[in-house]
Every structure is written in C-alpha cells, then in structure tokens.
C-alpha cells in the first residue's frame, strides 16, 4: 500500500473531552513523559527526567519560532464585531521585513463574521502607541482574504501593533477563549523568531534548567525555524490520505545549523513535529537542488516520488550548502508541503519528542511513520494511565523502530 492509499479511518481513536488538557501544569517540567524505546518498551516517566534518558551522543534540534498575537478584533461603526486572523505575510512576503514594516503591510487572513464586512475600512485604535490600525479587504482567495493594514506613525512597526492589539490564538479544540495566561503559557522558553499562529507545543515542557542540564551532559542543542500555520489543526477530511492537500509552511535554517548537521554523526532527536518537518524537508530540498529541480518549495508527495535520487543525508546537506554558496546567503529559506505518513523513510531524525495528537490527523500519521502500528498500543496505554492530551498535555519520547518495514 502506498501512503496515498492509506485510509484515515485507520488512524482514529476515542478521545474523551476530559482527556484534553485545557491549561498546562504550573510547573512545565512536571508533566508526564511516555518513553517508547526503539525496541518497543513503554516507560512512564516525568519530563524533567528527559536529560538523563537522552542518548549521550544525541543532538537536540528544536524550533525557535514565536507565536504572534495573530487574532485582531475590529468593530464596525454599526457595532458588528469582525475578527481578522493573520495567517501569513503577503507584502512584504518575508516575515522579518513584514513585521518590521512601518505605515503599511498586507497579510493573508481569515475573516470572522465576514458577511458583515464586504467593503470599507475598519479601524482599531491603539492608545498605547498613539495610532490607529486600519484594515481594508482586498482580494478573497478561497477561505481567506488579502487584508491591507495601514497606520499613520512611521516609527511604529507592525510587530509592535499586533503585540499591543492582538490576542494569542489558542487551538480551536480547547473550546475556550484565549486567556491572559496563554500569553506566556503558549510560548516556548526558547521562542524568538516571530511568525507562528500556533505553538510548536512539544517545546512547551522545556525550562531553562532542563536545557542547561542537557548542555551540561554534552548534548549539543541547535535551532531551526518553521512558522506553524493554522493548517496544523486541519483534520484529514478525505477518506484516503492521497486526497488530502497539505498546507504550506515557511522554514528557515541557518548555514551554521546545516553545517553542524553535516559535520555530526550524532543521532538527531527532534523537539516536535515541526522540527521533524523542517529537518526532513532540508534533506529533500538538497535532493531537489542536486537534481536541478529546486523551485523554492518541497512538494507534498516528493519524498515518495519515483524520480527521487535518494541521496544519503550528507550528500543532500552538501547540496544545500552549495546552494547557499551560489546565492551568497547565510540562511536557507523555503516552503514545505511534505506529508510524513507510514511508508516514509526518515533520513534525518532518530528520535521525536512530541505531544499526543488528534485522531485522524497528519501529525498522528507522522508518529506512525516512526513507530509503525505500535502507535495504537502507545495511545491506548496513555489513555488508560491518565495522560493529558493535545497542546497543553503530556509529552512522549519516541525512538525510531530498530527495523522499519518498507
């Protein structure tokens, strides 16, 4: 069976509402940690034990993206409430330049209560910055709209405006509004590059003390960036995986990080599915570059393509470094749509630190690609043993199967 033929109904499981964590524990590191070893043993631990169970020769890679206050609440003169949810920048298209914009910028956005706002300009006063954020709807593309934002102070950036006016967007499956506590709870301690509309939640369990202990044990820590899009919450609605269209996400990996991966023979342990997507996408980007097919994005089904050269990881990383040399850049920027599903061959990742994922989700497919059908036993064990699920829930450490069935 090809990944496209997978029936998503085979990746369903019962998830009672009371198993979904609505808030994190007061002590991030006090959550449970389910350790599933490469030979299939399940161990019930506490997350603060992670440094002592990581292999001493491991390399830890994590996603340094920062969640933005993407949800903006405008109100028309008639009193109608209009919510604008920023998804990704359009002009400038580069995240850093867009956040640094002064006077104006435009974003692709979801618009709530959109039938009440067909034209005209919305205004949202910002007394703290002595200006007013204005929004004008330009073009509708599918379920989203292009929104042009403007304001009258050239010394105020868009980043400052959404920080002052916006609201952190908690996952929809929490079935509650954002709270003040989410401002800090829904950020990793190492978040620093603005751009995500959802947190890379596996990283929420880390504390500065745990990171320091990992470093003290001689385990290198390196960063990548993937800006998590709203599509991460999108369930697979088609019967088969082949009918599902993966959302595109922006990745950025520095030359130093790529060189560290190239120079090291350490097994890579990825913090979160977003980190996995980033480093595995880096491999496939190298294969596309090597084949002369690079166009800036890794297509959804490229990993399973018949014309894939299947380079070894070092060959692929060398191709990416060569691309940076040719373009004179110190960062590799790309978009990725890859879907990691059973049948996928992990080329960069040996271990995964993650949370428990929604039924019938692409993230559950990613886990199954690493540990096979054993995901059912693991999730059944977690449900029976009182683990807390989803973004604010408990953690897992999965090690890649010793034998991967092709």
């Amino acid at each position: 069976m090809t990944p496209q033929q997978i029936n998503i109904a085979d990746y369903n499981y019962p998830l009672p509402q009371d198993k979904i964590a609505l808030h994190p524990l007061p002590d991030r590191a006090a959550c449970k940690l389910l350790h599933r070893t490469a030979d299939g043993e399940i161990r019930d631990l506490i997350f603060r034990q992670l440094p002592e169970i990581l292999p001493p020769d491991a390399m830890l890679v994590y996603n340094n993206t920062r969640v933005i206050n993407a949800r903006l609440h405008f109100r028309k003169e008639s009193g109608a409430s209009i919510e604008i949810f920023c998804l990704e920048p359009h002009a400038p298209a580069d995240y850093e330049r867009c956040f640094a914009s002064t006077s104006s910028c435009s974003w692709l956005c979801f618009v709530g209560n959109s039938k009440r706002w067909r034209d005209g300009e919305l205004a949202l006063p910002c007394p703290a910055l002595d200006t007013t954020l204005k929004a004008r709807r330009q073009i509708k593309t599918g379920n989203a709209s292009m929104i042009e934002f403007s304001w009258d102070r050239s010394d105020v950036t868009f980043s400052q405006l959404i920080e002052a006016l916006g609201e952190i967007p908690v996952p929809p499956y929490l079935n509650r509004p954002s709270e003040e506590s989410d401002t800090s709870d829904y950020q990793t301690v190492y978040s620093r590059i603005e751009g995500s509309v959802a947190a890379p939640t596996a990283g929420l369990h880390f504390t500065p003390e745990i990171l320091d202990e990992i470093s003290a044990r001689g385990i290198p820590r390196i960063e990548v960036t993937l800006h998590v899009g709203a599509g991460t919450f999108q369930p697979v609605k088609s019967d088969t995986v082949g009918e599902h269209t993966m959302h595109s996400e922006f990745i950025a990996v520095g030359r130093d990080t790529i060189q560290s991966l190239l120079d090291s023979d350490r097994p890579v342990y990825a913090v979160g599915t977003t980190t996995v997507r980033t480093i595995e996408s880096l491999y496939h980007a190298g294969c596309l570059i090597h084949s002369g097919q690079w166009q800036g994005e890794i297509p959804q089904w490229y990993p399973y393509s018949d014309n894939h050269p299947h380079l070894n990881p070092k060959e692929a990383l060398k191709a990416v470094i060569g691309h940076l040399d040719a373009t004179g850049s110190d960062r590799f920027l790309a978009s990725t749509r890859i879907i990691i599903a059973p049948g996928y061959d992990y080329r960069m990742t040996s271990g995964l630190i993650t949370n428990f994922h929604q039924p019938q989700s692409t993230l559950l497919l990613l886990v199954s690609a690493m540990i096979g059908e054993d995901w059912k036993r693991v999730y059944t064990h977690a449900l029976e043993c009182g683990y807390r699920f989803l973004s604010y829930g408990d953690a897992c450490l999965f090690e890649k199967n010793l034998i991967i069935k092709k």
Side-chain angles (χ1 to χ4, degrees):
M1 179 186 293
T2 67
Q4 292 93 325
Q5 294 172 315
I6 292 172
N7 192 326
I8 196 60
D10 294 336
Y11 292 84
N12 199 6
Y13 70 92
L15 179 58
Q17 188 67 29
D18 63 2
K19 295 291 186 181
I20 300 174
L22 299 184
H23 298 89
L25 297 178
D27 178 359
R28 291 181 182 226
C31 72
K32 293 182 179 182
L33 173 66
L34 187 153
H35 180 201
R36 191 270 187 190
T37 65
D39 58 4
E41 179 188 357
I42 294 177
R43 305 167 65 199
D44 296 310
L45 307 171
I46 301 298
F47 192 82
R48 61 169 43 93
Q49 295 176 267
L50 178 69
E52 63 194 63
I53 62 172
L54 285 174
D57 64 341
M59 172 183 284
L60 194 72
V61 186
Y62 51 84
N63 183 4
N64 62 15
T65 188
R66 185 169 181 81
V67 183
I68 63 172
N69 289 1
R71 186 172 279 132
L72 296 162
H73 295 280
F74 287 80
R75 190 169 294 278
K76 293 185 66 176
E77 291 183 2
S78 65
S81 176
I82 308 295
E83 180 185 289
I84 297 179
F85 189 116
C86 298
L87 296 175
E88 60 183 58
H90 174 67
D94 178 86
Y95 279 84
E96 290 183 16
R97 289 175 56 216
C98 199
F99 285 123
S101 293
T102 57
S103 301
S104 68
C105 63
S106 63
W107 281 68
L108 186 67
C109 304
F110 287 144
V111 178
N113 202 15
S114 63
K115 291 182 180 179
R116 304 293 297 274
W117 181 39
R118 296 191 181 277
D119 52 33
E121 193 172 68
L122 301 178
L124 182 59
C126 184
L129 296 172
D130 191 27
T131 189
T132 295
L133 180 64
K134 297 177 180 179
R136 185 175 292 276
R137 199 170 185 174
Q138 300 292 340
I139 305 167
K140 186 172 182 181
T141 57
N143 295 325
S145 296
M146 202 67 67
I147 305 296
E148 181 183 2
F149 295 105
S150 61
W151 56 102
D152 61 5
R153 281 194 59 180
S154 59
D155 59 337
V156 171
T157 65
F158 186 69
S159 176
Q160 290 174 301
L161 279 166
I162 60 169
E163 184 68 24
L165 295 173
E167 183 179 90
I168 205 93
V170 296
Y173 48 64
L174 294 184
N175 292 317
R176 66 166 177 80
S178 298
E179 300 171 6
E180 182 62 32
S181 59
D182 293 312
T183 302
S184 57
D185 288 345
Y186 203 54
Q187 300 281 12
T188 63
V189 295
Y190 45 73
S191 66
R192 62 187 184 86
I193 308 297
E194 291 181 307
S196 282
V197 300
T201 53
L204 296 180
H205 310 291
F206 284 84
T207 63
E209 292 75 20
I210 287 178
L211 293 172
D212 288 344
E213 187 176 348
I214 289 171
S215 295
R217 290 176 179 268
I219 298 172
R221 297 188 283 113
I222 60 175
E223 301 179 5
V224 296
T225 303
L226 180 145
H227 290 321
V228 190
T232 193
F233 301 124
Q234 181 181 346
V236 179
K237 296 180 180 179
S238 54
D239 292 336
T240 60
V241 174
E243 298 172 277
H244 179 74
T245 300
M246 282 294 288
H247 56 288
S248 177
E249 290 177 314
F250 170 85
I251 64 174
V253 186
R255 176 188 287 269
D256 290 347
T257 293
I258 299 169
Q259 195 66 51
S260 295
L261 290 167
L262 177 59
D263 294 341
S264 174
D265 291 318
R266 291 172 174 263
V268 171
Y269 278 62
V271 179
T273 57
T274 62
T275 302
V276 170
R277 287 195 80 207
T278 304
I279 59 177
E280 294 293 324
S281 293
L282 190 65
Y283 165 78
H284 294 293
C287 291
L288 284 164
I289 292 166
H290 178 269
S291 304
Q293 302 176 63
W294 179 241
Q295 296 183 358
E297 181 176 87
I298 302 95
Q300 176 170 339
W301 297 109
Y302 178 67
Y304 315 94
S305 170
D306 290 338
N307 64 359
H308 197 297
H310 300 292
L311 305 177
N312 67 49
K314 290 193 181 297
E315 290 172 329
L317 293 173
K318 286 178 181 177
V320 177
I321 290 289
H323 174 78
L324 294 181
D325 290 341
T327 57
S329 177
D330 61 355
R331 287 192 308 158
F332 181 71
L333 308 180
S335 295
T336 183
R337 288 186 182 272
I338 66 166
I339 183 168
I340 298 177
Y344 181 84
D345 183 9
Y346 279 99
R347 303 309 302 267
M348 300 288 294
T349 314
S350 296
L352 167 64
I353 299 161
T354 189
N355 288 12
F356 294 96
H357 303 294
Q358 294 182 83
Q360 301 190 143
S361 64
T362 57
L363 303 182
L364 190 53
L365 293 173
L366 182 151
V367 168
S368 181
M370 177 164 284
I371 66 173
E373 287 293 298
D374 205 31
W375 76 266
K376 296 177 182 178
R377 181 175 67 98
V378 168
Y379 272 55
T380 298
H381 174 88
L383 287 165
E384 291 175 348
C385 294
Y387 280 76
R388 303 160 72 245
F389 277 57
L390 307 186
S391 294
Y392 278 146
D394 294 317
C396 315
L397 170 58
F398 295 136
E399 294 174 341
K400 188 166 67 172
N401 281 347
L402 290 173
I403 299 175
I404 305 294
K405 292 183 179 180
K406 301 292 185 181

